[in-house]
Amino acid sequence: MSKFINPFTDIGFKRIFGQEISKPVLIAFLNALLAGERNIVDVQYLDKEQPGELADDRSLIYDVYCKLENGDYIIVEMQNKSQPFFKNRSIYYISRSVSRQGEPGPEWRYDVKAVYMIALLNFKRDDISTEFRTDVALMDMRHKTLFSDRIRLIYLQLPYFTKELDDCETLFEKLIYVLKNMDVLQRMPWLAQDAVFQKLASIADVASLSKKERSDYDENLRAYRDTIAVMEGQYLEGMEKGEAKGRAEGEAKGRAEGEAKGRAEGRAEGEAKGRAEVARNLIKLGMPIKQIAQATGLSEEEVTALQQG
């Protein structure tokens, strides 16, 4: 049994990021992610305001919706399975958080607060990028400058993060490493270096779960593993179908190329035999070798060989 909870499960993700006791971890993660941009002091969880229609499958999507001390909003979500129209879904998700800020009446002056959507993806989406981190904002296309900071999308494709423990230098890299490997770690690294890892070790320790929490977590872990198994099965099935299709197409192409090659070789052989027969007849008539070569397209050496044969 793993020592630490699996963060890719609904319960694991919420325990690490989505409860009052987890605030230090969430704040440390956000400040590490946005280092040089913001210094977040506090967050207010807004679980009751979470848009339910976008969380239709809790085995696939886990999110935390919170408000910062300056009024800005942050959505942190974990996805284990890719979805069709994923980028459009992200835009719709963040747009709803913007539109819900509108207040009725003429007094509201479109005081829109920034909304950050941070998506940790447990899969690759090459239509987003082929890198670990992708930052998206509204940009002036001509001058390549920031047009507005009210909308920000940050995608973290975890399979592209390949650093090992000794390679991690920044706090952000260390946190990502722990999230990726938490369910196989036997001890929490960097405990003596930063209090956030001490907090992580305490809230993510499976032994700290109550009997009810442990039962719920075990069921949640089973659902997660079932989801991953189905995804792997679909992937392998797709690979097998692709290989079968490739073999069939290759065999068909090979047959077609073989038939075409056979026909071409047959034509070439027939034409060569025809020229040789014409050359022999002209030799019998006593025509000079040079003229026979010009008439048949054979070389003078080939005509000479026919004459001697």
Side-chain angles (χ1 to χ4, degrees):
M1 170 61 69
S2 300
K3 177 174 176 57
F4 298 110
I5 200 167
N6 189 320
F8 300 110
T9 63
D10 191 10
I11 290 176
F13 181 78
K14 290 290 178 60
R15 188 171 180 85
I16 293 168
F17 287 121
Q19 55 180 352
E20 285 295 321
I21 196 175
S22 307
K23 272 190 179 183
V25 176
L26 177 62
I27 292 171
F29 173 75
L30 295 176
N31 282 331
L33 175 72
L34 302 172
E37 298 181 37
R38 312 196 59 138
N39 181 35
I40 297 168
V41 176
D42 192 20
V43 298
Q44 174 189 356
Y45 289 110
L46 302 174
D47 292 327
K48 293 182 180 179
E49 298 180 36
Q50 190 168 293
E53 73 273 16
L54 293 173
D56 52 346
D57 187 342
R58 304 312 298 168
S59 70
L60 303 179
I61 307 168
Y62 322 129
D63 51 39
V64 170
Y65 187 39
C66 58
K67 188 175 183 179
L68 305 184
E69 67 275 6
N70 68 344
D72 290 347
Y73 297 86
I74 288 187
I75 302 162
V76 184
E77 75 168 28
M78 172 77 78
Q79 283 212 15
N80 284 315
K81 182 179 179 181
S82 183
Q83 297 178 339
F85 316 112
F86 177 77
K87 287 192 290 187
N88 288 345
R89 173 199 169 278
S90 301
I91 295 169
Y92 175 73
Y93 202 164
I94 199 169
S95 297
R96 279 188 56 83
S97 188
V98 172
S99 66
R100 284 200 306 274
Q101 298 179 37
E103 298 179 5
E107 300 301 320
W108 189 61
R109 302 302 184 195
Y110 295 93
D111 182 24
V112 174
K113 300 298 183 181
V115 181
Y116 287 66
M117 180 175 176
I118 301 163
L120 293 99
L121 309 182
N122 199 19
F123 52 84
K124 295 179 180 179
R125 285 289 301 222
D126 291 350
D127 60 334
I128 294 176
S129 76
T130 55
E131 299 178 347
F132 163 58
R133 177 172 178 168
T134 304
D135 285 72
V136 180
L138 296 177
M139 181 184 71
D140 182 312
M141 293 291 290
R142 179 180 179 184
H143 299 289
K144 308 301 181 185
T145 57
L146 182 67
F147 176 74
S148 172
D149 63 353
R150 301 295 89 177
I151 289 179
R152 179 82 170 273
L153 294 139
I154 302 176
Y155 300 97
L156 304 175
Q157 299 186 77
L158 296 176
Y160 284 119
F161 185 85
T162 57
K163 289 194 173 185
E164 297 297 333
L165 187 146
D166 293 336
D167 300 322
C168 297
E169 299 177 354
T170 66
L171 176 59
F172 178 64
E173 291 174 346
K174 293 174 181 178
L175 286 169
I176 293 297
Y177 175 85
V178 169
L179 286 175
K180 274 200 69 175
N181 299 281
M182 184 177 291
D183 63 326
V184 297
L185 294 175
Q186 293 306 309
R187 57 178 296 276
M188 184 65 64
W190 303 297
L191 277 173
Q193 298 180 21
D194 200 302
V196 67
F197 296 106
Q198 298 173 18
K199 174 61 74 172
L200 258 176
S202 65
I203 63 178
D205 193 334
V206 173
S208 69
L209 299 176
S210 68
K211 186 175 181 180
K212 176 66 166 56
E213 289 172 336
R214 179 61 181 272
S215 176
D216 292 342
Y217 171 66
D218 287 344
E219 178 62 23
N220 205 220
L221 185 60
R222 183 198 61 78
Y224 164 74
R225 288 170 174 168
D226 287 348
T227 298
I228 298 301
V230 169
M231 291 166 56
E232 289 176 348
Q234 291 173 340
Y235 173 78
L236 291 175
E237 182 180 355
M239 287 289 290
E240 291 174 356
K241 288 182 178 179
E243 290 175 357
K245 182 179 180 182
R247 285 195 299 270
E249 291 178 348
E251 291 172 358
K253 183 179 180 181
R255 286 195 298 271
E257 290 178 349
E259 292 173 358
K261 183 179 179 181
R263 288 194 296 270
E265 290 176 349
R267 285 196 299 269
E269 184 179 354
E271 291 173 358
K273 289 182 177 179
R275 287 195 296 271
E277 186 62 29
V278 170
R280 289 190 185 95
N281 290 333
L282 294 176
I283 290 170
K284 292 177 181 179
L285 294 174
M287 182 178 289
I289 291 177
K290 185 174 183 179
Q291 293 181 6
I292 295 175
Q294 292 174 346
T296 60
L298 297 174
S299 66
E300 293 184 16
E301 289 77 8
E302 288 173 325
V303 175
T304 301
L306 291 172
Q307 185 182 47
Q308 294 174 352

